[in-house]
Amino acid sequence: MSMQSSISHYSDQIKQAVVDKQLLQIAGNQSKVPVDDDAQLLSISDHSGIVSYDPAELVVTVKAGTKLSELSAVLAENNQMLGFEPPEYGNSTIGGTYACSLTGPSRPFRGGLRDFVLGTQLIDGQGREMRFGGKMLKNVAGYDVSRMLCGSKGSLALVTELSLKVLPLLEEKTYCIPMPEGEAILLMNKMQGTSLPLTGCAYFEGQFYYRVAGEHPTQDNRVEVSACSNAVWKTLNPFQPTLAPGEKLWRLDVESTNPAIENTIAVGMGGTRRWVASKNKPNHPYVTLWQSRFAPRNNDKPCVQKIKAGLKEVFDPHHIFKDL
Amino acid sequence: MDVIQALEEALNKNSILSSEEACRPYECDGLSAYRQKPLAVALPEDIDEVKQVLKICKAHDTPVITRGSGTGLAGGTLPLENSVILGLSKLNKIIHVDPLQRTAIVQPGVRNIQVSDAAAKYNLYYAPDPSSQVACSIGGNVAENSGGVHCLKYGLTVHNVTSLTVLDMNGETIIFDEKDDGIDLLALLNGSEGLLGVIVEIKLKLIPKPEAAQLVMAAFNSVKACADAVTNVLKQGIVPAGLEMMDKFSIQAAEDFAQVGYPVDAAALLLCEVDGSHDQVKVDAKRVADILTENGAYEIRVSQNEKERIELWQGRKNAFPAVGRYSPDYYCMDGTIPRSRLAYVLEEIDHLSEKYGLKVANVFHAGDGNLHPLIMYDANKPGELEETEKFGQEILKLCVDVGGTITGEHGVGVEKLDSMCHQYPEAELEIFHGIKAVFDNSGLLNPGKAIPTLHRCAELSHMHVHNNQLPHPELERF
């Protein structure tokens, strides 16, 4: 199917759903969110492939159904990569990753997924094809709809194509030091204030881990520091620990300097991400129950709820796209 | 009671300006070709006063135009005749710098450079550095999503803001934070040009100062060779902290002005700065110099110390005033293009320059494709400003046509409303207006800026004509 015809196909499907008052659930390869019975599947998994890629422009344009693994392989051939280290849940697509706004350990150092988004092609809830942003690293014409839709989980529009900034592939080395959680949090904050070229800082199972890219002073000449495998970053991203019966996994977003939180089993993203295993919800403003992955927190203040409801009317006035 | 009396009653009388003379400094921003006296200027001293101004203006159905330092280049804070200018320059406190967390909480009237100055004792700084950084305010930076010469590596304002406290037209407080769930409203607020809310507090990321930096200057015989060299630097995995290109006219002007030893016979000059750890900089500077030489640079200079590095930058940093000496007025454009089309775009600009009989100097943020043509004109010559504007619009159209955008970092304001019609079709513009209405149902926050009305676009002949169909056939034409 040519790109244009496949896009019109989606647009027709959405227009028909408006007529039929049929709820649609947008999905990629369903690696993260299963499709519910109450909605008809609108799958982008066949809408796959790289639309344009010029390594020297540091920009790739890709169809939303493209697998992360496929995209990363093409970039790697040109010594480039996605700078936000998206988690791989198994056949994950770039569109699904964008919809859930998922980013890996490098976020405090290189930015999150939204920081790499330059433009989108999308179809709104009336079946209208549109483009926002573009392929330029700098673009301030109009509101930044492309970035705004990061994390919208398919509730506002079907995003069919994305333009992303890419970065050179760097050689990275991981080091670790055994220490308690509280000390690790303090140390990772201190280190992030130095010129060491860090790309990751985490605490896991009694060890403080840090990752460094490119040329840097020798680290393991100190007794307590050992070089270790880069594999720990994959363990933490996506983080899928085995839990004791009755326990739940909670994802907390905090300030990097937040002291150690009870029942934490991992600290990631330079201290800004805490993973807590407990029966009860931790008492904290930014907590997500990660069991049912990507469940919304639903803790927005009324004024923010009103804005989100208003935007729903702008993008999807007939409420065709399922809210997740 | 009229709106001015109500404001005078609510705030300190000295905080409300309404006389012809007192309002004059607020008649325009950095785009001084457009001027309008506002009804009044309100200069609140704290957030409570900002809320009162908004409530009073809402009650009087009076438009509010929020203004920082007034350095914007697109007329984003141009007053309307019946509007109140909400000047936030007195909200100028740095509330807190947290060296361990590497963040700063500031009020919107704080100047960009003040943040880095306050963070300097911790060896930290605030990365976005628009060239107006000594004067421009952080609130304005957020409103415009300002860039700077280092944004290829360190990002724009949107990449360096972690939380915003915003007031809506009713004076209600809304906080947008990077930790929020779901759609990224924080990103939406960045670059929204004062149309969605009034920003009253900002949390910024601070980053460690690089240990070292080195500047490589290279001279080329052609623009194309220079652009190709940049391409190869980026292809080989180096992300320079700064990557600036100048054309022949700019080189000459900058050299006359700053006398730093730029090669005035070059067709294009490249300034490439690498930063990071001492080890990394040593490696990268050599690689950059080698790549540039392989790609036809006929003269290379690498800064050997801080003094030399800063001196070499002086020419580029003063390029605008340097060009300004050659002409009574100049008009600074802000298109962005794919780097691969640079040589073509500069050639086309040359043709347009001949067509309009107006000289142009070009400086280019080569890393991110942001082109700043400076059109030289004389505002005292009847009709020359109008010709300059037409010329400028043709340049922006050219940028869109090669796959770029009409504004990389200056914003749309009033200046580029017509060009927005060229960049965005009707459905997208409708979405933009829809977003505006969600945040500001009254339409009183900076009305008429940033997003053109559909009627305006319909009236312009250079709209998208797709498949020979008239754009917006449903709209009346006057």
Side-chain angles (χ1 to χ4, degrees):
Chain A
M1 211 184 293
S2 77
M3 186 177 85
Q4 201 48 53
S5 68
S6 105
I7 293 288
S8 333
H9 165 74
Y10 288 123
S11 165
D12 291 345
Q13 213 178 326
I14 291 165
K15 284 177 185 158
Q16 190 59 46
V18 173
V19 174
D20 299 342
K21 298 193 166 68
Q22 171 64 54
L23 190 66
L24 298 173
Q25 182 175 347
I26 301 167
N29 288 334
Q30 301 178 44
S31 68
K32 295 179 275 292
V33 187
V35 176
D36 288 338
D37 293 339
D38 64 342
Q40 188 181 312
L41 173 67
L42 177 58
S43 173
I44 51 139
S45 61
D46 291 339
H47 190 61
S48 157
I50 287 165
V51 179
S52 67
Y53 173 39
D54 179 354
E57 297 286 342
L58 301 175
V59 176
V60 66
T61 299
V62 64
K63 294 184 201 175
T66 310
K67 286 182 197 170
L68 288 177
S69 53
E70 191 186 321
L71 175 56
S72 298
V74 172
L75 298 178
E77 280 169 26
N78 292 282
N79 283 317
Q80 292 186 336
M81 63 174 183
L82 295 172
F84 49 94
E85 268 192 300
E88 175 60 79
Y89 284 92
N91 284 329
S92 293
T93 61
I94 186 66
T97 307
Y98 168 86
C100 296
S101 195
L102 294 174
T103 295
S106 58
R107 191 181 70 179
F109 311 96
R110 294 194 287 244
L113 179 140
R114 54 93 96 163
D115 295 314
F116 291 88
V117 173
L118 306 174
T120 49
Q121 179 193 56
L122 58 84
I123 306 174
D124 76 352
Q126 300 183 65
R128 298 185 297 179
E129 294 165 28
M130 304 181 198
R131 283 182 183 277
F132 291 97
K135 297 178 183 182
M136 299 289 105
L137 300 180
K138 264 177 165 176
N139 181 4
V140 290
Y143 301 122
D144 201 339
V145 171
S146 310
R147 277 201 179 92
M148 183 198 86
L149 289 175
C150 290
S152 60
K153 303 188 185 86
S155 63
L156 296 182
L158 174 70
V159 172
T160 50
E161 193 179 293
L162 288 162
S163 292
L164 300 164
K165 179 185 178 184
V166 297
L167 290 181
L169 200 55
L170 292 170
E171 200 187 321
E172 295 175 313
K173 283 185 185 154
T174 301
Y175 302 93
C176 58
I177 314 172
M179 66 175 73
E181 183 188 343
E183 281 178 33
I185 290 168
L186 188 61
L187 183 56
M188 66 179 77
N189 275 286
K190 281 185 181 163
M191 282 177 79
Q192 289 176 78
T194 71
S195 57
L196 191 67
L198 290 168
T199 64
C201 275
Y203 168 80
F204 183 54
E205 294 182 339
Q207 300 274 350
F208 165 55
Y209 291 92
Y210 64 102
R211 188 173 58 181
V212 189
E215 303 289 332
H216 60 276
T218 314
Q219 297 293 302
D220 42 5
N221 54 352
R222 284 174 292 158
V223 190
E224 72 279 14
V225 184
S226 352
C228 58
S229 156
N230 283 329
V232 66
W233 308 106
K234 295 271 182 220
T235 307
L236 293 169
N237 180 43
F239 188 47
Q240 297 170 305
T242 313
L243 300 173
E247 267 184 0
K248 291 171 182 158
L249 182 65
W250 306 89
R251 193 183 92 170
L252 278 66
D253 292 306
V254 300
E255 302 303 338
S256 61
T257 47
N258 201 99
I261 295 168
E262 212 181 355
N263 299 319
T264 294
I265 55 172
V267 176
M269 296 188 176
T272 59
R273 171 66 48 83
R274 312 289 169 92
W275 295 98
V276 169
S278 64
K279 287 196 173 93
N280 299 317
K281 186 179 177 183
N283 181 20
H284 205 275
Y286 297 99
V287 182
T288 306
L289 176 61
W290 208 246
Q291 221 81 359
S292 52
R293 270 176 283 183
F294 323 109
R297 293 194 192 113
N298 289 327
N299 65 344
D300 290 331
K301 298 215 165 63
C303 53
V304 173
Q305 278 174 18
K306 208 177 129 198
I307 289 170
K308 288 185 177 175
L311 292 172
K312 176 79 177 170
E313 295 303 318
V314 171
F315 283 87
D316 179 24
H318 306 294
H319 294 235
I320 289 305
F321 300 129
K322 186 179 163 71
D323 290 313
L324 289 173
Chain B
M1 191 160 51
D2 69 12
V3 66
I4 298 176
Q5 286 167 330
L7 288 168
E8 280 174 346
E9 206 157 278
L11 271 64
N12 180 339
K13 221 176 171 184
N14 297 331
S15 297
I16 306 299
L17 318 173
S18 60
S19 72
E20 184 83 36
E21 198 185 346
C23 286
R24 191 154 300 140
Y26 298 88
E27 281 179 2
C28 69
D29 55 20
L31 183 68
S32 55
Y34 298 83
R35 286 172 190 274
Q36 170 65 51
K37 182 195 170 290
L39 200 59
V41 178
L43 301 168
E45 291 183 4
D46 57 35
I47 293 179
D48 276 339
E49 289 193 351
V50 179
K51 286 180 185 174
Q52 289 189 55
V53 171
L54 289 168
K55 283 175 186 165
I56 290 166
C57 289
K58 176 85 189 278
H60 287 82
D61 203 23
T62 300
V64 173
I65 296 163
T66 313
R67 176 182 160 118
S69 301
T71 55
L73 292 168
T77 60
L78 178 72
L80 296 167
E81 198 180 350
N82 64 340
S83 70
V84 166
I85 292 286
L86 174 58
L88 297 183
S89 52
K90 289 183 183 171
L91 271 72
N92 59 359
K93 289 172 199 62
I94 295 177
I95 297 167
H96 182 57
V97 175
D98 186 334
L100 187 61
Q101 199 183 89
R102 294 147 281 114
T103 54
I105 298 173
V106 305
Q107 291 191 322
V110 168
R111 288 175 293 116
N112 175 297
I113 193 76
Q114 288 178 296
V115 182
S116 290
D117 285 348
K121 62 182 165 202
Y122 308 112
N123 207 33
L124 300 169
Y125 76 111
Y126 174 64
D129 58 344
S131 52
S132 56
Q133 73 179 142
V134 293
C136 63
S137 71
I138 293 292
N141 288 179
V142 176
E144 302 295 334
N145 189 13
S146 305
V149 295
H150 291 98
C151 52
L152 174 67
K153 186 167 179 182
Y154 296 107
L156 307 159
T157 304
V158 67
H159 302 112
N160 291 280
V161 170
T162 67
S163 187
L164 289 175
T165 305
V166 173
L167 301 180
D168 69 11
M169 195 59 211
N170 300 314
E172 296 295 325
T173 305
I174 315 172
I175 294 172
F176 301 104
D177 193 283
E178 65 170 354
K179 297 189 288 297
D180 289 338
D181 191 38
I183 55 174
D184 201 327
L185 296 173
L186 179 63
L188 181 67
L189 263 289
N190 278 276
S192 58
E193 302 200 23
L195 272 75
L196 303 185
V198 178
I199 297 159
V200 290
E201 197 174 291
I202 303 130
K203 188 168 179 180
L204 302 167
K205 254 184 229 178
L206 303 174
I207 59 171
K209 282 189 197 165
E211 215 170 68
Q214 228 172 348
L215 184 67
V216 182
M217 182 193 83
F220 291 86
N221 281 321
S222 79
V223 168
K224 191 176 177 308
C226 185
D228 288 347
V230 170
T231 295
N232 283 311
V233 168
L234 294 171
K235 249 189 194 166
Q236 296 197 26
I238 297 164
V239 180
L243 197 52
E244 294 293 311
M245 198 170 146
M246 298 162 79
D247 72 357
K248 194 169 180 63
F249 192 70
S250 306
I251 300 167
Q252 182 73 57
E255 178 58 21
D256 286 352
F257 186 88
Q259 283 143 30
V260 286
Y262 285 173
V264 290
D265 53 341
L269 183 75
L270 187 70
L271 297 169
C272 178
E273 182 164 289
V274 289
D275 71 6
S277 67
H278 286 294
D279 296 343
Q280 189 73 52
V281 167
K282 213 186 271 174
V283 173
D284 285 350
K286 173 152 192 343
R287 278 180 68 201
V288 166
D290 288 349
I291 296 167
L292 297 178
T293 307
E294 280 162 27
N295 284 273
Y298 69 83
E299 186 185 332
I300 298 254
R301 261 173 72 185
V302 181
S303 69
Q304 296 304 317
N305 52 52
E306 263 312 272
K307 187 170 164 278
E308 214 175 300
R309 185 182 72 84
I310 289 162
E311 274 172 12
L312 281 176
W313 268 120
Q314 282 314 306
R316 167 61 187 91
K317 290 203 169 173
N318 289 303
F320 288 17
V323 168
R325 298 201 307 174
Y326 287 82
S327 169
D329 301 280
Y330 66 87
Y331 195 67
C332 174
M333 308 303 298
D334 174 44
T336 304
I337 53 170
R339 206 177 315 96
S340 56
R341 306 304 300 276
L342 178 67
Y344 167 76
V345 168
L346 290 186
E347 218 169 87
E348 288 300 301
I349 290 176
D350 270 351
H351 293 154
L352 289 169
S353 169
E354 277 166 33
K355 174 176 151 187
Y356 285 94
L358 295 165
K359 275 191 180 167
V360 186
N362 288 290
V363 294
F364 186 53
H365 301 308
D368 45 42
N370 194 187
L371 183 66
H372 291 307
L374 303 171
I375 306 173
M376 282 162 260
Y377 73 103
D378 183 351
N380 289 327
K381 284 191 190 158
E384 198 154 297
L385 172 63
E386 289 72 21
E387 282 299 291
T388 303
E389 286 175 329
K390 271 192 224 161
F391 183 1
Q393 278 192 23
E394 283 210 54
I395 293 176
L396 296 186
K397 184 174 176 297
L398 177 65
C399 292
V400 174
D401 292 346
V402 298
T405 174
I406 58 168
T407 173
E409 57 186 357
H410 295 170
V412 175
V414 289
E415 184 199 20
K416 303 181 196 80
L417 284 168
D418 287 346
S419 301
M420 276 291 279
C421 300
H422 188 70
Q423 181 151 342
Y424 282 109
E426 179 191 338
E428 283 86 338
L429 292 173
E430 263 182 38
I431 293 276
F432 288 149
H433 287 296
I435 292 171
K436 161 74 172 164
V438 167
F439 282 81
D440 173 30
N441 196 26
S442 65
L444 291 175
L445 287 171
N446 209 7
K449 309 283 173 59
I451 314 293
T453 61
L454 297 180
H455 274 105
R456 183 185 186 117
C457 292
E459 283 170 32
L460 287 170
S461 55
H462 63 259
M463 268 291 305
H464 290 254
V465 178
H466 190 62
N467 297 335
N468 218 9
Q469 288 166 344
L470 191 66
H472 310 293
E474 74 288 357
L475 296 177
E476 289 177 59
R477 273 149 222 279
F478 308 104

